[in-house]
Amino acid sequence: VLDYLEGRGLTRQTIKDFHLGYALREWEGLTGELRRKKLDLELAARGGLLRGKGSQKYYDYFRGRLIFPIFDNHGRILGFGGRVIGSGEPKYLNSPETPLFNKSRILFALYQALPHIRKEKEALLVEGYMDAILLHQHGIKIAVAPLGTSLTEQQIALLRGRVERITLTFDAD
């Protein structure tokens, strides 16, 4: 994973700043660890970390993926995005919808960008996690990204009252 991230141009400091991680390819890596610590597997499943039902049927939701924690604007983790490393589908996988995590109401990197957005009265909306992260690394700290393939009114509303200008920079597709 470090080779992949460094190959994409990320520094170790940026990796730390965005709390990037890796979910092992194991079906029960996290599940096993939660069991060993006697933590509630049903709660972890409701939070989108595990799949399945019943004490013996849980398995890890994110496997073999680069993990992007998704923060709210107060710095609390609401969910995760995972990018497959190597081949596999889907390429990106987000935490499932929960009472806390609704991807149409969240902007990736807003927590990190908010102080800069407030100061500059401007936001730069880019397509994906890596776009936002690399822009931050190169000093463009007003970059945020919607989760998924569309930009929603709720995501724009997160910027309302904080900006005078929003610039959209999405891929041609």
Side-chain angles (χ1 to χ4, degrees):
V1 172
L2 282 174
D3 288 344
Y4 170 80
L5 291 171
E6 290 173 350
R8 293 286 307 264
L10 269 65
T11 65
R12 296 277 175 117
Q13 187 59 52
T14 297
I15 294 165
K16 287 178 187 176
D17 291 346
F18 281 86
H19 305 276
L20 303 181
Y22 180 68
L24 300 174
R25 294 186 190 278
E26 300 173 19
W27 284 82
E28 293 193 359
L30 177 60
T31 304
E33 186 64 22
L34 294 174
R35 275 195 179 107
R36 278 188 289 284
K37 293 185 175 188
K38 298 184 182 344
L39 296 172
D40 187 345
L41 299 182
E42 176 59 29
L43 184 60
R46 287 196 335 247
L49 297 172
L50 307 179
R51 287 285 202 217
K53 287 194 177 239
S55 62
Q56 301 304 314
K57 298 182 183 178
Y58 290 106
Y59 61 92
D60 296 4
Y61 182 63
F62 294 101
R63 295 179 309 282
R65 291 178 181 273
L66 165 61
I67 300 296
F68 300 87
I70 300 167
F71 297 88
D72 69 6
N73 58 342
H74 301 289
R76 299 173 295 206
I77 295 176
L78 299 178
F80 301 92
R83 186 199 192 287
V84 71
I85 300 297
S87 61
E89 292 294 328
K91 183 176 176 182
Y92 282 94
L93 183 65
N94 285 321
S95 291
E97 299 284 317
T98 69
L100 292 177
F101 183 80
N102 181 318
K103 69 181 185 176
S104 67
R105 294 187 175 128
I106 302 168
L107 288 169
F108 178 76
L110 181 60
Y111 174 64
Q112 292 88 341
L114 205 48
H116 308 281
I117 288 172
R118 285 182 178 131
K119 180 181 175 190
E120 298 194 28
K121 301 286 188 209
E122 181 178 1
L124 175 62
L125 279 160
V126 297
E127 192 161 326
Y129 304 128
M130 291 297 287
D131 300 321
I133 291 170
L134 281 165
L135 285 165
H136 277 257
Q137 177 176 293
H138 291 285
I140 303 171
K141 298 191 180 282
I142 58 171
V144 295
L147 305 179
T149 58
S150 63
L151 178 62
T152 68
E153 288 181 41
Q154 296 97 332
Q155 290 167 327
I156 295 295
L158 293 170
L159 301 171
R160 188 172 292 129
R162 296 181 168 131
V163 297
E164 295 171 2
R165 183 168 70 177
I166 297 173
T167 303
L168 301 176
T169 308
F170 291 164
D171 294 348
D173 64 345

